[in-house]
Amino acid sequence: MKLYFELLKYPVFTMEHVNQYYDNIESARSTVKRLIKNGLAVKIRNNLYTCISGETDAPVASRYQIASAITPTSYLSHHSAMEYYGISDQIFYEVYVSSNTMFRDFEFDGYTFCCVCSKCSEGIEMVKYGGGVRVTDRERTVIDSIKDLDKIAGLEEVVDNIQAVSVLREKRMLAYLECYDSQFLYQKVGFLLKDQQKHFGLSNNFFQICKDKVGNSKRYLTKDCKEGKYDANWKLVVPSQMYYLKNGEIRHDL
């Protein structure tokens, strides 16, 4: 029981954590097996464990803490980061985890942890007093959500989440756009943020930079948009009726 209380200091622990108290890996493994058998701990995936709370009989680690401990470089991103910040009011059972090291998707405690290959190492924050949670900052979260809107969230959810974000720090936005260095991403960001320029606190220069990066390529905003309205400023074909729910009302943007 003494070790159990020691391990409670770690929302998520590995065999290496346990071995600190034994300096013998076989003894550490046997101890973890006993903890699991006695209902004091549970295996999340290979070499990743969490204690079971004596008060709630539930895992001590939150899904956010688990996501941040899957690999040495893993962190919350996309709509899971939106959820962590309280921006998204929808409940999802997929936790999106970016990482430099790929891992297989897995399920634990009713959630599916989905791996997203990270191509940018900037904009990741360790949350103070967050129990080890790492998450993309709001600017990186917005950029990632727009970049992968066809793969992860979908246009309506992304637009809805973006509208709930307050001021965006322009220098960081440009830094992440430069990191990805994608013409299409500059197009999408410019188009989706322009109408709310004052709300986000973005300058005319920001949108001019985006526009200068667009080039001559004409694209569909989403893969599901087979026909729609062509926006000449951003060289994008967008759904004829882009809308999102805001304060209980349907707003038509085009």
Side-chain angles (χ1 to χ4, degrees):
M1 285 297 291
K2 182 179 179 181
L3 179 61
Y4 168 76
F5 289 111
E6 288 294 326
L7 292 175
L8 281 173
K9 298 175 183 177
Y10 308 100
V12 180
F13 64 88
T14 65
M15 203 63 69
E16 287 70 28
H17 287 116
V18 180
N19 200 36
Q20 294 179 72
Y21 302 95
Y22 289 92
D23 199 25
N24 182 313
I25 194 65
E26 292 304 322
S27 297
R29 287 172 180 159
S30 297
T31 300
V32 170
K33 286 180 181 179
R34 283 198 300 273
L35 289 172
I36 294 173
K37 183 178 180 180
N38 294 330
L40 298 175
V42 63
K43 182 178 179 179
I44 299 171
R45 68 191 300 264
N46 288 340
N47 198 29
L48 210 62
Y49 308 86
T50 185
C51 289
I52 296 296
S53 169
E55 297 178 355
T56 64
D57 288 329
V60 168
S62 71
R63 60 188 182 278
Y64 305 125
Q65 291 169 322
I66 292 170
S68 304
I70 296 171
T71 76
T73 60
S74 64
Y75 53 92
L76 288 164
S77 63
H78 298 79
H79 80 60
S80 297
M82 292 283 190
E83 204 176 346
Y84 183 81
Y85 287 125
I87 293 170
S88 173
D89 56 3
Q90 298 185 56
I91 298 175
F92 294 93
Y93 294 97
E94 297 83 24
V95 182
Y96 283 91
V97 187
S98 289
S99 173
N100 294 340
T101 306
M102 296 294 290
F103 62 88
R104 289 185 179 180
D105 296 356
F106 66 93
E107 295 184 9
F108 177 75
D109 198 32
Y111 293 95
T112 300
F113 293 82
C114 306
C115 181
V116 182
C117 182
S118 178
K119 296 181 180 179
C120 179
S121 59
E122 299 179 29
I124 306 159
E125 298 183 342
M126 174 69 79
V127 179
K128 193 175 183 178
Y129 308 121
V133 171
R134 291 193 297 268
V135 60
T136 50
D137 63 27
R138 284 170 171 78
E139 290 78 13
R140 167 82 187 273
T141 303
V142 168
I143 294 294
D144 284 349
S145 297
I146 294 174
K147 179 175 74 72
D148 295 323
L149 64 84
D150 274 334
K151 298 178 182 178
I152 294 178
L155 180 60
E156 183 177 345
E157 182 197 326
V158 168
V159 171
D160 189 52
N161 285 342
I162 289 173
Q163 295 301 320
V165 177
S166 55
V167 175
L168 293 170
R169 291 167 290 187
E170 186 169 310
K171 287 184 179 180
R172 293 199 178 196
M173 294 286 285
L174 291 172
Y176 306 146
L177 282 167
E178 185 177 349
C179 183
Y180 286 121
D181 191 25
S182 164
Q183 251 187 16
F184 190 23
L185 183 55
Y186 279 104
Q187 279 178 287
K188 291 190 288 185
V189 168
F191 172 75
L192 289 173
L193 301 186
K194 180 60 178 175
D195 285 348
Q196 298 293 316
Q197 178 178 350
K198 290 184 179 180
H199 169 74
F200 294 126
L202 297 172
S203 70
N204 289 332
N205 184 58
F206 174 84
F207 292 97
Q208 188 59 55
I209 291 173
C210 289
K211 190 170 291 187
D212 290 343
K213 294 286 187 176
V214 168
N216 296 317
S217 299
K218 299 177 182 179
R219 297 182 174 91
Y220 289 99
L221 178 61
T222 74
K223 64 182 180 181
D224 295 327
C225 179
K226 301 305 180 184
E227 57 183 50
K229 181 177 178 181
Y230 179 65
D231 186 292
N233 286 326
W234 298 103
K235 296 182 174 62
L236 286 173
V237 178
V238 301
S240 297
Q241 290 183 312
M242 274 187 62
Y243 67 90
Y244 59 92
L245 295 175
K246 188 70 173 175
N247 298 324
E249 298 179 357
I250 294 179
R251 169 179 162 181
H252 296 270
D253 288 321
L254 297 175

